[in-house]
Amino acid sequence: MRTADPTGTTPVSTAPVPTGTVAPRPTRPAGRTVLRIGPWVALPVRRLSLVAGAATLLLLVAAAVATLSMGRLGIQLADLPSALAGEATGKNAFVLNRLRGPRLVVAVATGAAFGLSGALFQSVTRNPLGSPDVIGLGAGAGAGAAAAALFLPDVLPVPVGALLGAVLAMAVVFLATGTGFRNPGRLVVAGIGVAAMATALTQYVVYAVERDKATALTSYINGSLSARSWDDATTIWTVLLLSLPLAALLARPLSVGEMGDELSSGLGARPGRTATGAVALSIVLSAGAVSVAGPIAFVSLTAPQIAKRVTRGGGPHLMMSTLMGALLLVLADLTAQQLPLFDNLPVGLYTMALGGTYLGYLLLREWRRPA
């Protein structure tokens, strides 16, 4: 007799094995391989996901090299290996240690944090248009930054104000839903309301402050990577590295949860607890990214969807979304630095253009789909 495997795809035989014979080893699902880490860890991975991840990583390295080497102040490719080895001097040392090095390292970790945050949130809400931006985190961070610049200019740094604004916005959303972070529908509705109020406060502050301060503030609340430091890099990398193991623990419950709450509960998962943990971790990642780079829009929205289409499989795609978020933000920042048509535009404006293009693509797909 053969029964269906409750976890996936391969039939499982329940017939007794005759004495004196060797039971056949279970066949591996087509298109999958086993990634071994030491003698104790064996992870089943789809080959297409491995290939897509390796290709994304290579593109990320290429974009990083271009960031350091392109332009009038770029490091020559022949000098780049020695500069990275700690032998940079003069102009190369300035570019690597002050001008572009910290900016690149912050961009990689910030994009990765946004991508992972969006993948967690979209998996919980089961909504391809879901992201922490939707529930008001970015708008709350912008309002916090604006309030710090207007009311406490010499007391509270703008990045700290952004972090406090994001935390306060999420606290209001948590209380407004009545169920915490467990109900995705209420979460989105409450988040839209909080985002509207936070945006109104931000616009008032930009209108009220002096012109020079308003220009700097507008750059920050649109998302900017200019003038980043190694302290910013330490902050966001600490948040990312501490969050990755927690995200790995949530990967399997999230995969099971995509079958529906009733079925996942029957398989031993706890969908309510998983949703709360995933949303909380998503907020931590987004808040950490916002604190160092401002509320950069649409990376958390588009990265998981591109990852899903590249890998052509189900599941939350946490690692692929992390890599894709890093690649998208590094490419956007490279464009912001090198595009000759505009000078020093915030990188968030380029990610907004990317997100708008993605939403337009989704609309065209819906219009072309038969009724």
Side-chain angles (χ1 to χ4, degrees), residues 93-132:
F94 173 74
V95 171
L96 185 62
N97 298 323
R98 297 286 299 276
L99 186 62
R100 296 187 183 178
R103 180 170 182 161
L104 172 62
V105 174
V106 170
V108 171
T110 301
F114 276 130
L116 179 55
S117 174
L120 290 167
F121 195 84
Q122 290 181 13
S123 179
V124 168
T125 60
R126 305 185 191 116
N127 185 349
L129 297 180
S131 76

Side-chain angles (χ1 to χ4, degrees), residues 115-244:
L116 179 55
S117 174
L120 290 167
F121 195 84
Q122 290 181 13
S123 179
V124 168
T125 60
R126 305 185 191 116
N127 185 349
L129 297 180
S131 76
D133 302 332
V134 174
I135 60 173
L137 189 144
L150 177 63
F151 302 115
L152 301 168
D154 299 322
V155 177
L156 191 66
V158 169
V160 176
L163 181 59
L164 293 178
V167 172
L168 180 59
M170 292 304 95
V172 173
V173 170
F174 182 90
L175 296 174
T177 60
T179 57
F181 296 137
R182 292 191 296 273
N183 189 311
R186 293 184 182 182
L187 189 66
V188 171
V189 172
I192 291 173
V194 171
M197 293 185 290
T199 301
L201 174 62
T202 302
Q203 295 303 320
Y204 165 74
V205 171
V206 171
Y207 176 78
V209 298
E210 299 174 2
R211 179 177 298 179
D212 293 340
K213 291 183 179 179
T215 301
L217 181 59
T218 301
S219 176
Y220 181 83
I221 62 179
N222 283 319
S224 176
L225 290 169
S226 61
R228 299 303 97 180
S229 67
W230 291 115
D231 289 338
D232 297 320
T234 301
T235 298
I236 185 56
W237 274 101
T238 300
V239 172
L240 180 63
L241 293 178
L242 290 177
S243 300
L244 284 175

Side-chain angles (χ1 to χ4, degrees), residues 261-355:
D261 290 347
E262 293 184 3
L263 184 56
S264 61
S265 297
L267 293 174
R270 298 179 178 179
R273 181 178 297 182
T274 300
T276 299
V279 172
L281 185 58
S282 175
I283 290 171
V284 168
L285 285 162
S286 291
V290 165
S291 69
V292 300
I296 298 175
F298 284 114
V299 175
S300 57
L301 175 68
T302 54
Q305 291 303 307
I306 296 175
K308 184 172 292 187
R309 282 161 175 74
V310 168
T311 56
R312 301 177 186 176
H317 302 284
L318 299 183
M319 186 53 65
M320 188 64 194
S321 299
T322 303
L323 291 173
M324 189 61 66
L327 176 61
L328 290 178
L329 189 54
V330 170
L331 288 175
D333 189 49
L334 178 62
T335 304
Q337 294 182 63
Q338 302 298 332
L339 194 65
L341 299 178
F342 307 101
D343 185 24
N344 294 324
L345 282 180
V347 68
L349 297 181
Y350 291 93
T351 61
M352 286 181 189
L354 173 66

